[in-house]
Amino acid sequence: MKKRILRIVGIVVLLIIGVLVAAPFILEAKIGELIKNNVNNTVNATLDFNDADLSLIKSFPNAEVQLSGVTLVNKAPFEGDTLFAADNLELVMGIGELFKGQGEAIGIRRLLLDGANLNIKINEAEEANYDITEESESQISTNDATDGFVFNLESYEILNSTVHYNDMSSGIALKVEEIQHNGTGDLSLTTSELETYTEALVSFEMDSTNYLNRNKVKLNALIGIDLQEDKYSFLKNEAIVNQLPLVFDGFVKLNEDNQEVNISFKTPSSDFRNFLAVIPETYSKNISDVKTTGDFVVEGNFNGIVDEEHIPKFNIFINSENASFKYPDLPKSVRNIFIDVVVNNETGLTEDTYVNINRASFMIDEDKFNLNAKITELMGNTKVNAHVDGKMNLANISKAYPVPSDLNLKGQLNADVTTAFDMASIERKQYEKTNTTGKMSVRDFEYNSPEIPNPVKLSAVALTFNPKTVTLNELNGVTGKTDFNATGSINNLLGFMFNNENVEGNFDLKSNVFALNDFMVAEEAKTDEEKTQNDTPVKSEEKIKIPSFLDANINASANTVIYDNITLKDVKGNLRIRDEKAILSNMTSSLFDGKVGFNGEVSTKSETPTFAMRLAMEQLQIGETFQALELFKVLAPIARILKGKLSSDIELSGNLTDDFTPDLLSLSGNILADILTREIDTDQAPILSALDSKLGFLDLKELSLKELKTKLSFKDGLVTVKPFTINYKDVAINVDGSHTFDSNMNYKATLEVPAKYLGKDVNALIARIDDTALDSLTIPVIANIGGKYTSPQVTTDFTSGVKNLTNQLVEIEKQKLVNKGKDKAKDLIGGIFSDNQQKRDSSKSENSVKENAKDVIGGILGGTKTKDSTQTKTDSVPVKKEEDVVKEKARDILGGLLGKKKKTDTTVKKDSTN
């Protein structure tokens, strides 16, 4: 019997285990759809998730549902906004909840939320994206079944999550990051206690002013819960804000139309160390060993109703009397610290909130600082009435307080300023309704930071505050090689400080030496993780940006401006900065013994900085210009061989690199150049050597570049040269073509070469023809120039040119002989009726004419003159065809032209001997 019972129990256990293992596969699809339907039928939003896993073993005797990739997306009026998202959501419930049908509430006992983001948004119309509850026909209490879920929680946990609250109607933004929160208690009971722990970073901003920036908050709280009255009480708790401990007491009660709040808080001790604890730990460092005297107390209460029109009344007191502190590793102490601050609201209306800083003062050595202010209608039309005065050696601050290591201040500050204004007047730019008066000055100020390459040293700064403007009476300083002296006025300092407006001002800036490199941050090597695959260190730097908040007009003058390796002298002009754009007008300067005028603009508004500039360059030294300016090296590389002066009008535009140098491949524009030179640096001219080797009759050192003018256009890395003419003695050379920025050339030089440069044979042929019209005879010779500037390739068409000229001259000589023969024929016809002797003489003359014609043609074509035909026949030399003779003559002529005169000289000597 026992064996039978054990066998039955074993079978039952196996069946139960089998059911627990198999059930998830059967119910998984159902539970996922059930959750989606129950939520989507009760809210004006869409719940979705990537996957739903069901386990009956992990939390047995409960079921565990795990949802991944959860999203809750709004419908109108926030169509498409994600209200809630989570990487993982785990729900633990009784197994019986899995068998409920659609419309039945699911009871949740435990909840785990990981990687969640809750984005709460209120638009300008005061519509909230979290108001997604659908209205139902009947209202049922929390403990009764409703469509959706019943949270009978025993515990819950929220990990690595963020809540972002943005109220665009009031300008309030709250962000709570890195939330780690858990709570345990039985929320299924009418009254219970919930023990919670919370840790997070809090940021708070109102009207574009940041009050908290990732301040650390911790809270251990035991909360009493009365679900019947909807009342939540603080039973035992302690909060830590930054390092400041606070204890809470009181309750929050949720009514049908409002919430009741009655909460008080205070610091558990009055040690002045509490003051340092208010400051974020990043700045205050470890305060446990700081020696303090005096007290510091924070206490307050919130009491009243919260509804659409009211906030709780509150009183917050912050007080310290004659306190001091000294960090153990710093030489100086801060003493005579008095703080008397009240933050109050006595009506429950937001606009009636006010802050009174009755006194805030401290001393370091004998330096003293004082501040008092009254700020009323804090949540409405804020009104400020404040006064600040004091004298402070800025170097003492770092000797008494652990300021950031990269902040190294020096100098003597003196201030005595009073201001009174209201935010409505500033928002309307009615600065005449504000009143700020007083003076502020700084002497021997010095500022060091990794963000600037050199320390900024200000010998004197003086400001006078007037009701409408701030006058910059004096600003003298140096940084690196740069010195500067500025005066001017700022028109809307309050609008910049409180209303997010641009700084508007007019300034006069003078400098003896202004080096732009003094304002450029040096490049920094990337970390090992940022190196490229071949482990080559990659340089990176922050891009230079024109400040978007600056709206200034600057009249500038400088004796010397240094940019990279370029030195400008006597720089004057106007600089207009606005909308992330710098506009230069009527700028003039001396450069390379010439004058430069420039107008244009630089913009950093887009991701890639751009510029457009017009330059007027007058009488600049060519050599220095092309040596220093990379732009000219790529636009006109051949110009570096010239010695003389350059005048040019340039229009160009394109992109700038991160260090504000032109991106050459993006450039486009035009150049009109006027070159005044009579010298060529042949040592720097491989192109001249290549041409000279192909054009033996020219000495390119004697090129005339007088009044040389040319026009260039460039775009997409290609420079196109408009046709221009230079002269070599009486040879006109027409040049046009193009080259790329990397010096690949494609040029054509067309030379109109007079016949007299083509050698003795051609000149002898012209002399034999004896026609004055041939004195100006030229042939076009084309030289094609390719390759790179440093290794040019030159080809010419001399062969065809000279051949054509030879044929032309032969034809002219033939025509002359024909015409001469016709004249002789006329004489013969005139003597037909003469006697026989005359006939014989006439016949003899005709033969003589024919023989003379043969002799001339023979001389033209290179044959040997013969007295009679018998001698020619006797010689065993074959008679050449006329076409062959022409070709032979052309070769002889080319030999004289291209052979660098070696052959020609030999021929001349032989001819002269003969």
Side-chain angles (χ1 to χ4, degrees):
M1 177 67 78
K2 289 183 179 179
K3 291 183 179 179
R4 226 169 147 187
I5 294 172
L6 289 174
R7 187 179 301 165
I8 293 171
V9 171
I11 292 171
V12 171
V13 170
L14 289 174
L15 287 173
I16 292 173
I17 293 173
V19 169
L20 291 175
V21 172
F25 298 100
I26 300 170
L27 299 174
E28 204 166 60
K30 178 186 175 183
I31 192 65
E33 290 303 316
L34 183 62
I35 292 172
K36 286 184 182 180
N37 291 333
N38 277 9
V39 173
N40 291 332
N41 289 335
T42 57
V43 298
N44 183 35
T46 302
L47 175 71
D48 198 4
F49 41 81
N50 295 334
D51 194 20
D53 292 327
L54 175 63
S55 172
L56 301 180
I57 298 177
K58 187 176 180 182
S59 301
F60 187 82
N62 295 316
E64 181 177 305
V65 177
Q66 182 172 331
L67 308 178
S68 61
V70 181
T71 59
L72 184 64
V73 179
N74 281 109
K75 296 181 181 178
F78 297 92
E79 186 81 33
D81 285 357
T82 300
L83 173 61
F84 172 82
D87 296 336
N88 187 45
L89 173 60
E90 293 181 9
L91 304 172
V92 177
M93 64 196 74
I95 292 178
E97 305 297 318
L98 303 177
F99 300 96
K100 289 185 176 180
Q102 184 171 337
E104 294 184 275
I106 300 174
I108 304 299
R109 296 181 180 178
R110 195 160 63 246
L111 178 148
L112 171 65
L113 196 57
D114 189 10
N117 283 279
L118 177 62
N119 293 295
I120 300 173
K121 184 185 296 184
I122 301 174
N123 61 21
E124 289 84 352
E126 299 187 1
E127 296 172 312
N129 70 337
Y130 60 83
D131 187 10
I132 60 173
T133 304
E134 295 279 15
E135 294 184 5
S136 59
E137 295 181 359
S138 60
Q139 299 295 328
I140 304 174
S141 68
T142 306
N143 293 324
D144 295 328
T146 61
D147 290 346
F149 295 94
V150 175
F151 288 96
N152 297 322
L153 291 175
E154 298 172 358
S155 66
Y156 65 93
E157 192 170 6
I158 301 172
L159 304 174
N160 309 312
S161 298
T162 299
V163 175
H164 195 175
Y165 174 86
N166 186 12
D167 187 346
M168 290 178 279
S169 64
S170 63
I172 293 175
L174 173 68
K175 190 173 185 180
V176 185
E177 304 172 79
E178 300 182 20
I179 298 172
Q180 312 294 332
H181 174 77
N182 61 68
T184 57
D186 191 350
L187 297 183
S188 64
L189 303 175
T190 303
T191 59
S192 62
E193 293 182 356
L194 180 66
E195 188 170 352
T196 65
Y197 174 81
T198 305
E199 185 176 326
L201 300 176
V202 179
S203 301
F204 179 73
E205 182 179 295
M206 184 171 65
D207 292 331
S208 302
T209 301
N210 191 281
Y211 294 94
L212 299 173
N213 183 22
R214 292 175 61 84
N215 289 59
K216 185 181 291 186
V217 173
K218 292 183 180 180
L219 176 63
N220 272 314
L222 180 63
I223 301 173
I225 301 175
D226 186 338
L227 294 178
Q228 188 168 350
E229 293 189 9
D230 271 346
K231 185 177 179 180
Y232 303 86
S233 304
F234 292 96
L235 303 178
K236 179 183 177 183
N237 59 84
E238 182 178 356
I240 297 177
V241 179
N242 292 327
Q243 300 178 75
L244 175 67
L246 294 171
V247 293
F248 287 82
D249 189 16
F251 67 87
V252 176
K253 186 173 183 296
L254 306 181
N255 300 321
E256 186 173 344
D257 298 324
N258 55 43
Q259 295 88 44
E260 291 180 47
V261 176
N262 189 343
I263 297 174
S264 62
F265 61 91
K266 64 179 181 179
T267 54
S269 71
S270 60
D271 193 324
F272 186 76
R273 189 175 281 101
N274 292 336
F275 170 78
L276 300 176
V278 174
I279 304 169
E281 188 177 355
T282 303
Y283 304 106
S284 63
K285 308 302 181 185
N286 183 9
I287 64 174
S288 60
D289 295 328
V290 176
K291 183 179 180 180
T292 65
T293 63
D295 57 8
F296 178 79
V297 176
V298 177
E299 61 179 304
N301 61 78
F302 293 86
N303 186 7
I305 299 298
V306 180
D307 58 21
E308 293 182 357
E309 298 178 357
H310 297 87
I311 61 173
K313 302 173 186 177
F314 60 85
N315 294 281
I316 302 173
F317 302 94
I318 304 172
N319 189 267
S320 179
E321 293 287 337
N322 196 20
S324 71
F325 67 86
K326 184 181 184 303
Y327 279 81
D329 54 347
L330 295 176
K332 295 185 181 295
S333 64
V334 181
R335 59 188 178 86
N336 289 12
I337 302 172
F338 291 86
I339 301 173
D340 184 2
V341 177
V342 177
V343 183
N344 217 336
N345 185 297
E346 299 172 349
T347 66
L349 301 175
T350 56
E351 60 268 22
D352 290 339
T353 302
Y354 65 87
V355 177
N356 284 347
I357 304 175
N358 299 312
R359 185 179 183 183
S361 64
F362 66 89
M363 292 182 69
I364 303 177
D365 286 344
E366 298 307 312
D367 295 337
K368 190 173 183 178
F369 176 86
N370 295 292
L371 168 68
N372 59 74
K374 293 185 182 297
I375 306 171
T376 59
E377 299 183 33
L378 189 64
M379 306 298 288
N381 177 25
T382 304
K383 295 179 174 64
V384 177
N385 194 325
H387 174 79
V388 60
D389 67 82
K391 295 181 180 180
M392 183 62 57
N393 183 349
L394 299 176
N396 283 339
I397 296 176
S398 61
K399 294 178 181 179
Y401 187 79
V403 298
S405 59
D406 60 350
L407 185 64
N408 186 8
L409 297 177
K410 295 180 182 179
Q412 187 69 40
L413 170 67
N414 290 277
D416 188 355
V417 180
T418 300
T419 184
F421 58 88
D422 68 280
M423 291 305 300
S425 296
I426 292 175
E427 289 170 0
R428 299 186 188 114
K429 296 189 176 183
Q430 296 172 338
Y431 301 118
E432 68 278 2
K433 293 184 178 181
T434 68
N435 187 8
T436 301
T437 58
K439 294 182 178 181
M440 181 182 293
S441 65
V442 178
R443 300 287 174 183
D444 301 321
F445 174 85
E446 185 172 334
Y447 175 70
N448 286 308
S449 170
E451 296 179 359
I452 55 176
N454 303 294
V456 177
K457 299 178 181 180
L458 301 178
S459 58
V461 180
L463 298 170
T464 299
F465 293 86
N466 307 301
K468 295 182 181 179
T469 63
V470 178
T471 302
L472 177 63
N473 302 306
E474 187 180 19
L475 174 61
N476 293 326
V478 296
T479 178
K481 299 177 182 178
T482 300
D483 64 275
F484 48 88
N485 183 338
T487 59
S489 62
I490 302 172
N491 300 329
N492 65 331
L493 182 61
L494 293 177
F496 167 68
M497 294 175 62
F498 298 106
N499 202 31
N500 203 28
E501 294 179 10
N502 295 338
V503 176
E504 297 176 1
N506 292 280
F507 304 94
D508 293 320
L509 176 64
K510 296 180 181 179
S511 175
N512 183 45
V513 176
F514 199 94
L516 294 177
N517 289 344
D518 288 336
F519 300 91
M520 295 184 179
V521 180
E523 294 180 342
E524 296 180 358
K526 289 189 175 182
T527 61
D528 293 339
E529 291 81 11
E530 296 173 310
K531 290 181 180 181
T532 55
Q533 292 181 351
N534 59 3
D535 289 332
T536 302
V538 180
K539 296 288 185 178
S540 65
E541 63 177 339
E542 185 177 352
K543 292 182 178 179
I544 299 172
K545 295 285 287 185
I546 298 172
S548 60
F549 61 83
L550 195 57
D551 186 351
N553 186 66
I554 302 172
N555 294 311
S557 63
N559 293 333
T560 302
V561 173
I562 302 172
Y563 175 60
D564 202 11
N565 61 337
I566 302 170
T567 300
L568 300 169
K569 295 289 188 180
D570 302 322
V571 178
K572 295 179 181 179
N574 179 264
L575 177 63
R576 183 76 168 90
I577 299 176
R578 186 178 186 181
D579 194 26
E580 296 186 52
K581 182 184 294 185
I583 302 173
L584 292 81
S585 303
N586 302 318
M587 300 293 292
T588 60
S589 172
S590 298
L591 177 66
F592 305 138
D593 297 333
K595 299 286 185 182
V596 178
F598 41 98
N599 295 274
E601 63 182 42
V602 174
S603 175
T604 62
K605 192 167 187 177
S606 59
E607 180 67 21
T608 302
T610 61
F611 79 101
M613 202 68 64
R614 296 183 301 278
L615 304 176
M617 311 175 77
E618 182 179 347
Q619 299 288 305
L620 271 65
Q621 290 290 342
I622 296 174
E624 295 180 35
T625 302
F626 283 81
Q627 182 66 28
L629 299 180
E630 188 69 23
L631 176 65
F632 282 84
K633 291 179 183 178
V634 299
L635 292 181
I638 195 172
R640 74 184 71 179
I641 71 175
L642 305 177
K643 296 180 179 180
K645 294 189 175 183
L646 165 73
S647 295
S648 178
D649 291 327
I650 304 176
E651 293 184 7
L652 69 162
S653 61
N655 298 333
L656 294 170
T657 61
D658 291 349
D659 60 353
F660 263 42
T661 57
D663 180 357
L664 296 179
L665 294 180
S666 73
L667 291 184
S668 62
N670 297 283
I671 294 181
L672 180 61
D674 187 358
I675 298 174
L676 303 176
T677 181
R678 290 183 174 83
E679 293 184 62
I680 299 175
D681 186 358
T682 55
D683 295 335
Q684 300 293 325
I687 190 172
L688 292 187
S689 301
L691 281 169
D692 206 30
S693 67
K694 296 292 183 179
L695 305 173
F697 64 92
L698 293 181
D699 184 357
L700 294 180
K701 294 181 181 179
E702 298 183 19
L703 282 176
S704 174
L705 302 177
K706 185 179 180 181
E707 298 181 357
L708 171 61
K709 293 184 179 181
T710 185
K711 185 175 182 180
L712 313 178
S713 63
F714 47 93
K715 186 177 183 181
D716 298 330
L718 180 68
V719 181
T720 302
V721 179
K722 306 298 181 184
F724 66 94
T725 301
I726 55 178
N727 295 292
Y728 168 78
K729 297 181 180 178
D730 52 354
V731 178
I733 304 174
N734 299 305
V735 181
D736 68 339
S738 62
H739 68 270
T740 60
F741 280 3
D742 55 358
S743 298
N744 285 314
M745 298 185 294
N746 183 17
Y747 281 96
K748 181 177 70 174
T750 303
L751 298 83
E752 295 294 335
V753 182
K756 64 183 180 181
Y757 291 113
L758 302 180
K760 279 182 169 291
D761 293 330
V762 172
N763 283 295
L765 190 57
I766 293 173
R768 187 177 295 134
I769 295 174
D770 191 22
D771 189 338
T772 57
L774 299 180
D775 293 342
S776 59
L777 183 65
T778 64
I779 65 167
V781 176
I782 297 175
N784 293 303
I785 306 168
K788 287 188 174 290
Y789 176 77
T790 53
S791 54
Q793 299 173 0
V794 179
T795 59
T796 63
D797 64 345
F798 258 129
T799 303
S800 59
V802 173
K803 180 179 177 182
N804 291 337
L805 174 64
T806 305
N807 284 329
Q808 185 179 351
L809 293 176
V810 169
E811 287 300 322
I812 292 172
E813 182 68 2
K814 281 184 179 181
Q815 189 61 44
K816 286 190 68 175
L817 291 174
V818 170
N819 292 337
K820 195 173 183 180
K822 288 181 180 179
D823 292 340
K824 290 293 183 179
K826 288 179 182 179
D827 293 340
L828 291 173
I829 292 171
I832 280 177
F833 300 104
S834 301
D835 56 16
N836 291 335
Q837 184 63 37
Q838 289 174 331
K839 287 181 180 180
R840 284 194 297 270
D841 293 341
S842 177
S843 177
K844 188 176 181 180
S845 295
E846 184 178 353
N847 292 334
S848 177
V849 169
K850 290 180 179 179
E851 287 179 3
N852 286 336
K854 290 179 180 178
D855 291 342
V856 173
I857 292 171
I860 292 173
L861 303 180
T864 305
K865 291 184 181 181
T866 56
K867 295 262 177 124
D868 54 51
S869 58
T870 306
Q871 184 177 348
T872 303
K873 288 179 181 179
T874 306
D875 298 335
S876 300
V877 179
V879 180
K880 295 181 179 179
K881 294 182 180 180
E882 180 180 331
E883 182 180 356
D884 294 333
V885 174
V886 171
K887 290 180 179 179
E888 186 178 299
K889 280 295 181 184
R891 282 195 298 270
D892 292 341
I893 294 169
L894 285 172
L897 291 171
L898 306 179
K900 297 301 291 178
K901 299 187 172 67
K902 272 191 177 180
K903 278 190 174 182
T904 305
D905 293 344
T906 306
T907 305
V908 170
K909 286 179 183 178
K910 190 181 292 185
D911 290 345
S912 62
T913 305
N914 292 339

